[in-house]
Amino acid sequence: MAALTDLTLTETVKGLRTGEFSSMELTQAYLERIDQLEPKLHAFISLTPDKALAQAKAADKRLKSAGDKQLPPLLGLPIAVKDVLSVEGIRATSGSRILENFIPPFSATAVQRLLDAGVVILGKTNTDEFAMGSSTENSAFGTTHNPWNLERVPGGSSGGSAAAVAARLAPVALGTDTGGSVRQPASFCGVTGFKPTYGRISRYGLIAYGSSLDSVGALGRSAQDLAELFSIMAGFDKLDATSMDLPVPDMHLNADVDIKGLRVGVPEEYFIKGIQTEVEEAVRAAVSELENLGAQVRQVSLPHTEYAVPVYYIIAPAEASANLARFDGVRYGLRVESEDIIDMFKETRGSGFGSEVKRRIMLGTYALSAGYYDAYYGQAQKVRALIKRDFEQAFEQVDVIAAPVAPTTAFTIGEHSGDPLSMYLEDVFTLPANLAGIPGIAFPVGFDSDNLPIGMQLMGSHFQEETLFRAAHAYQSASDWHTKAPAVG
Amino acid sequence: MNLTIQEVERIADLARLHLTDEEKERFREQLSSILGHVAKLQDLDTAEIQPLTSMSLECTRLREDQPGESLSPEELLNNAPDAIKQQFRVPPVLDTDNHS
Amino acid sequence: MHPEFEPVIGLEIHAVLETRSKMFCDCRLVASTHEQPNVAVCPVCSGMPGTLPVVNHAAVEYALRVALALECEIATTSIFARKSYFYPDLPKGYQISQYEQPLARNGRLKIDTSQGEQTIRIRRVHLEEDTGKLTHLNEDGETYSLVDLNRSGLPLLEIVSQPDMHSAKAVRAYAFGLRSILRYLGVNSGNLEKGFFRIEPNVSIRPVGSRTLGTRTEIKNLNSFRALERGVTYEIERQTELLLQGKDVVQETVGWDEAEQATVSQRSKEDADDYRYFPEPDLPPLVIEQDWVDEIRASLPELPHAKFKRFQAEYDLNAYDAGVLVADEAVADYFEAVVAADAPPKLAANWISGELFGLMRQQDVGIEQLNLPAEDLAGLIKLVDAEHINQNTAKEVLEEMLTSGESAAAIVKARGLQQISDPEQIAHWVQGVLLGNPNQVAEYLGGKQALSGWLFGQVMQAAEGKANPRLLRAELDRQLEELSEGR
């Protein structure tokens, strides 16, 4: 019999319902595995075993006494939550010293919907500080190690969640994707990760980084698993004025998903030189597999792709510079005392923020400052419109766009620390989806010669998550890359 | 694109960030490099393009004017680094009104 | 004011929109002066991480009412913007306001001064949120500041005029007029002391005839209309003095010191923060449907200035009387009800602005709380007008009306307060007084005119206050005239 921690979400929920095992047993199994592997992986910032077991116990009580009553769909399922999402009563650090002891008095809407659906929260996972980074090396609480190779990064910023899922420390984990922060770590860790359309899932309770780019996403072992989560989390929230009031499809993917006639676009600008050969090969092979399953593949062009990095690295830092202004030591978080209020602000922020965060705040402040606004922020907003238009035009020809997630597989810890710009350039394939606000799903399509996972992403038109899930599920029904698990250590 | 140390200091001041001398120089270099890269946006002619100032495809979501629940003062001050008399305490702010 | 220089003044007014909940969250509105600190605060208005703003429908509606009353052009689409600066009472480190695309522009407000009617142009009207409140304490040798966030997030309307005013009086008229409009529209109670209506004049002077603007200063901390007038006057004089001495005016913010009755330099506006405005990504553009605008426009009440003109035309009141009555809509409505009950308008105006205002001030209530139905006041006024009672008696009757609730006629009848207009009776009293005070009469006839007043008083006393004063005066004059001719 498979270990409880090897079960998929669907299998887990079924097992809980039929009484094959209890939520306590399940939660216990995960907690034990976490105990065992955390010293090597450091996927978590905070673990909440007591709370988790209490939630599991309560879940079991309801599961036993259910009868014919309608039970919450995920009752008893343990999950992990990226530490930029608020969970009431549990500290939310955002990977930063400046929030090291901040305890939110409310939960993020997305989290609350899952809690209402009956989940058990194992803990808060590691993240680059304020979600700024592509490796989780920018966490103030130490980096997370890739379960496939402990000297490698898990990707970022949702590296903790990706590592946790890959190492079977949780069946699913919430993440956030502002410039690729769910898709890229999913790719580096060999798991599936989705980013919804901007506005699909409420941002209330998501500690803001780039307000027009942030989205709540999730990582898991399959598209089928994640589709369940999506249906529950998505939908209008009156606490978020940017959340869309549109119907959310009820997404239960079954085995016989048919993608005949699905038009798949392959963007020529994403297959540039500099991409790792094995990555390109694996992605092209996956596209061929889609074709075998009945999809029609054609080439598309997204001509402004090369401008995605500069556009993103003006807009995101600009918005972040304002979003992080609230961290001033007055009402919560770290305070470095001083007799002078301005010194208090400067010292608090100077010591509470790490280098990458400071860098981006400076960049953003500069881009918005008097005399520079038009040339930087103003211009970036215009080019962003061009990038969005590229996608809209492409989606007149195709239903989904297939592309690599990152130019390489997981790089080594410390490889990019000297040169922030080189790190930024790694994001070139994931940024465009955030700039355009479109959904994307990343899933494993192979391994390189170092046995490091290779991921591919499918991007869809606004609000077409269903198409993406179905396509990914079709691929996963005909392949088994997503079932591979690392032998940790 | 080369920032001067003075410009770095000005930005750090606007952003209320204390930087060490080492940080100032390091950031000066790094920001110059990054700004050099983003300068390529200037290559594009965007005269006819409307800036994408909102990612919300729908417009205008207004809230009904119904008062709801607030936090209790205890909940609000729970995370406060320093509070007294049911308020947040900070060093004396001498410039009496910074608001324009 | 110096003949060589012309003051040029624009006003920036911030009015709290008195909705039931805050601008971007559903905390209730609180008048901080009475409540405990930090009792109406939530994660949103305290700027906790992860929170988001959602616009209050009523705040937009109130803003539209004001903008339409000021004859502004309403923007079909307006944008909220982040205005960034660091301050302990600004929880997010930025204020959500409006910048390049405000809700409304290009309006006007007509004011009346001794120079006649003047139109002050409104540059823009926009929505924003209020900050928290900072207080400074010095206790046991320790100084520190305290932050109360009750006020944080209140809906504010910012109304900016063009620099079209040229005197402290005009400034006062404009501020007063705007305040009246806000009260008429039911969006703001106009309370300066509570900080719900804040006035910040921008003052500069320039040589008469010049078309360029001088350097301006901004005055803060004006907590009453009196302070407003004095502060502006002071600043005009101060700047005039500087220029006459050949010095420059420094562009700065000054605070009004009520105790010193002077302005004090606060901070140089040259060091003004770079606010780094950019469109608020957490709020979609505010689109105003034409239907809504039309609906609101149709529901606007008659506004103070229109009422002011109508009262002068319809009731033949002078500008002063009309102005006094229209300042408060409830008073204006009351006046019209009194007139509708057949009281002569001029008398009604006098009684309201005299006696009733005095009572309202004494009891610190509005006209509705006096419990004096308009018809009842009209009844009293008609008795005076018909000379059934004189003015003094009428005041006594009014007092009793307020306590007993009886009508004027009933009280006069019950207490026999009817004025006596019988010419023979009056002649008899006058005669009696003149005969009884020969010395005073002699002095009067000898040239001491003022004694006529004293004699009048004596007659009225003899008449127990009930003599018809007009007839008494005439009879007294007649008899005194007779005596002096007889000499």
Side-chain angles (χ1 to χ4, degrees), chain C residues 28-35 150 194 196:
Chain C
R28 62 188 171 86
L29 257 68
V30 150
S32 319
T33 42
H34 300 297
E35 297 249 15
N150 278 343
K194 267 194 203 166
F196 275 28

Side-chain angles (χ1 to χ4, degrees), chain C residues 129-402:
Chain C
E129 58 177 342
D130 207 350
T131 63
K133 196 175 76 155
L134 212 50
T135 41
H136 312 291
L137 288 182
N138 197 322
E139 249 165 43
D140 307 323
E142 267 191 62
T143 49
Y144 51 81
S145 298
L146 295 177
V147 183
D148 170 18
L149 297 178
N150 278 343
R151 211 182 73 176
S152 165
L154 288 196
L156 281 185
L157 197 62
E158 181 172 322
I159 303 162
V160 183
S161 79
Q162 297 283 16
D164 287 348
M165 287 158 269
H166 303 291
S167 68
K169 289 263 180 265
V171 166
R172 191 206 158 100
Y174 172 85
F176 205 79
L178 190 53
R179 178 177 172 271
S180 271
I181 288 180
L182 297 182
R183 286 163 56 99
Y184 267 55
L185 296 174
V187 306
N188 175 287
S189 55
N191 194 316
L192 270 81
E193 287 74 22
K194 267 194 203 166
F196 275 28
F197 187 83
R198 303 170 210 159
I199 310 171
E200 278 154 24
N202 281 293
V203 180
S204 67
I205 62 174
R206 64 182 172 193
V208 171
S210 161
R211 298 282 291 274
T212 52
L213 293 170
T215 307
R216 61 187 169 93
T217 61
E218 186 185 25
I219 313 176
K220 287 188 190 278
N221 201 37
L222 297 162
N223 296 326
S224 66
F225 281 101
R226 200 181 65 173
L228 173 64
E229 243 187 291
R230 291 185 180 178
V232 169
T233 303
Y234 182 92
E235 199 47 26
I236 293 170
E237 285 168 7
R238 186 185 74 85
Q239 291 190 16
T240 304
E241 221 12 73
L242 283 173
L243 292 190
L244 285 175
Q245 288 172 20
K247 300 192 191 146
D248 286 325
V249 173
V250 172
Q251 183 176 16
E252 59 182 340
T253 301
V254 296
W256 175 249
D257 187 326
E258 185 65 33
E260 297 295 312
Q261 291 286 298
T263 60
V264 176
S265 175
Q266 278 190 352
R267 55 184 251 287
S268 170
K269 262 189 116 95
E270 283 166 25
D271 290 346
D273 290 294
D274 175 358
Y275 292 119
R276 306 186 292 292
Y277 287 100
F278 70 102
E280 171 57 81
D282 289 333
L283 294 173
L286 182 62
V287 172
I288 308 286
E289 302 287 337
Q290 190 56 41
D291 283 349
W292 197 20
V293 171
D294 293 339
E295 206 185 294
I296 295 176
R297 188 184 275 119
S299 75
L300 291 179
E302 181 186 35
L303 293 171
H305 197 261
K307 207 186 280 287
F308 171 74
K309 302 212 88 120
R310 182 170 65 81
F311 274 18
Q312 289 176 71
E314 197 174 315
Y315 302 113
D316 201 22
L317 294 173
N318 62 36
Y320 179 80
D321 286 338
V324 164
L325 292 172
V326 306
D328 182 328
E329 196 181 18
V331 168
D333 288 348
Y334 185 86
F335 165 79
E336 293 206 270
V338 171
V339 170
D342 300 321
K346 177 67 185 168
L347 287 181
N350 288 346
W351 274 88
I352 291 171
S353 62
E355 290 301 306
L356 293 203
F357 275 18
L359 289 166
M360 282 156 64
R361 258 195 302 275
Q362 229 179 60
Q363 299 170 31
D364 195 21
V365 294
I367 202 162
E368 310 91 336
Q369 282 88 33
L370 285 182
N371 286 320
L372 181 66
E375 310 75 55
D376 288 0
L377 180 63
L380 177 66
I381 292 174
K382 283 188 285 192
L383 289 180
V384 174
D385 190 41
E387 296 188 3
H388 286 190
I389 52 175
N390 64 34
Q391 191 76 357
N392 287 336
T393 312
K395 290 185 188 176
E396 266 183 61
V397 172
L398 177 64
E399 251 184 71
E400 192 168 325
M401 282 168 76
L402 289 168

Side-chain angles (χ1 to χ4, degrees), chain C residues 385-426:
Chain C
D385 190 41
E387 296 188 3
H388 286 190
I389 52 175
N390 64 34
Q391 191 76 357
N392 287 336
T393 312
K395 290 185 188 176
E396 266 183 61
V397 172
L398 177 64
E399 251 184 71
E400 192 168 325
M401 282 168 76
L402 289 168
T403 45
S404 71
E406 297 278 336
S407 74
I411 294 169
V412 165
K413 186 156 179 212
R415 289 177 40 188
L417 296 172
Q418 184 86 354
Q419 181 169 265
I420 294 169
S421 300
D422 174 14
E424 273 183 39
Q425 176 64 267
I426 288 178

Side-chain angles (χ1 to χ4, degrees), chain B residues 63-68, chain C residues 20-21 25-27 56:
Chain B
R63 179 179 50 86
E64 221 186 291
D65 187 28
Q66 283 289 11
Chain C
R20 299 165 63 199
S21 59
C25 66
D26 64 7
C27 285
N56 181 341

Side-chain angles (χ1 to χ4, degrees), chain C residues 95-157:
Chain C
Q95 177 195 34
I96 302 178
S97 177
Q98 293 190 297
Y99 183 56
E100 285 179 334
Q101 285 181 252
L103 183 69
R105 281 199 230 249
N106 300 335
R108 55 202 187 139
L109 175 62
K110 293 203 183 80
I111 61 171
D112 298 273
T113 64
S114 52
Q115 263 86 36
E117 188 179 281
Q118 193 191 347
T119 298
I120 308 296
R121 294 167 301 163
I122 308 279
R123 184 143 61 91
R124 52 183 279 151
V125 174
H126 75 247
L127 280 164
E128 58 185 32
E129 58 177 342
D130 207 350
T131 63
K133 196 175 76 155
L134 212 50
T135 41
H136 312 291
L137 288 182
N138 197 322
E139 249 165 43
D140 307 323
E142 267 191 62
T143 49
Y144 51 81
S145 298
L146 295 177
V147 183
D148 170 18
L149 297 178
N150 278 343
R151 211 182 73 176
S152 165
L154 288 196
L156 281 185
L157 197 62

Side-chain angles (χ1 to χ4, degrees), chain B residues 14-16 53-54 56 58-63 65-71 73 76 84-93 95-100, chain C residues 19-23 25-27 37-38 41 54-58 83 85-87 89 136-137 139 143-148 220 266-267 275-276 285 287:
Chain B
L14 272 180
R16 299 292 188 260
T53 52
S54 174
S56 306
E58 242 168 81
C59 286
T60 311
R61 184 69 53 58
L62 299 180
R63 179 179 50 86
D65 187 28
Q66 283 289 11
E69 283 202 20
S70 301
L71 293 172
L76 174 68
I84 140 183
K85 300 183 206 276
Q86 206 162 282
Q87 292 175 81
F88 301 96
R89 177 161 58 173
V90 295
V93 183
D95 170 0
T96 49
D97 187 10
N98 201 45
H99 306 306
S100 270
Chain C
T19 51
R20 299 165 63 199
S21 59
K22 292 187 178 181
M23 183 74 216
C25 66
D26 64 7
C27 285
N38 287 313
V41 187
V54 184
V55 177
N56 181 341
H57 182 276
K83 177 183 181 182
Y85 63 93
F86 286 86
Y87 212 66
D89 67 4
H136 312 291
L137 288 182
E139 249 165 43
T143 49
Y144 51 81
S145 298
L146 295 177
V147 183
D148 170 18
K220 287 188 190 278
Q266 278 190 352
R267 55 184 251 287
Y275 292 119
R276 306 186 292 292
V287 172

Side-chain angles (χ1 to χ4, degrees), chain A residues 101-103 198 212 236 242-245 306-307 309-311 314 329-333 335 338-339 341 344-347 349-350 355 358-359 361-363 365-366 372 375-376 379 381-386 388 420-421 424 435-437 463, chain B residues 1 3 7-8 10-19 23 26-27 30-31 33-35 37-47 49-53 55-58 61 71 75-76 78-82 88-93:
Chain A
N101 296 305
F102 172 67
I103 301 180
Y198 182 85
S212 70
F236 175 66
T242 61
S243 79
M244 292 302 147
D245 194 359
E306 68 178 291
Y307 298 101
V309 169
V311 169
I314 288 175
V330 174
R331 296 161 308 289
Y332 46 76
R335 179 194 289 196
S338 168
E339 279 174 12
I341 185 80
M344 183 187 104
F345 289 157
K346 290 183 173 179
E347 296 291 336
R349 294 160 62 77
S355 290
K358 282 194 263 202
R359 212 168 4 248
I361 290 175
M362 306 263 292
L363 198 47
T365 303
Y366 183 82
Y372 296 104
Y376 289 99
Q379 181 70 346
Q381 288 286 47
K382 291 180 167 196
V383 180
R384 182 176 188 177
L386 292 173
K388 184 171 180 221
L421 184 56
Y424 298 169
L435 293 173
F463 306 108
Chain B
M1 170 76 234
L3 289 177
E7 282 174 302
V8 171
R10 180 185 71 87
I11 300 166
D13 183 55
L14 272 180
R16 299 292 188 260
L17 288 172
H18 168 77
L19 299 179
E23 279 175 314
R26 181 159 42 95
F27 286 157
Q30 292 170 337
L31 291 175
S33 153
I34 296 164
L35 288 169
H37 179 76
V38 305
K40 78 191 269 188
L41 288 183
Q42 305 304 322
D43 299 343
L44 290 170
D45 176 11
T46 55
I49 310 292
Q50 287 288 74
L52 195 53
T53 52
M55 289 305 289
S56 306
L57 302 176
E58 242 168 81
R61 184 69 53 58
L71 293 172
E75 283 175 302
L76 174 68
N78 183 42
N79 284 295
D82 188 7
F88 301 96
R89 177 161 58 173
V90 295
V93 183

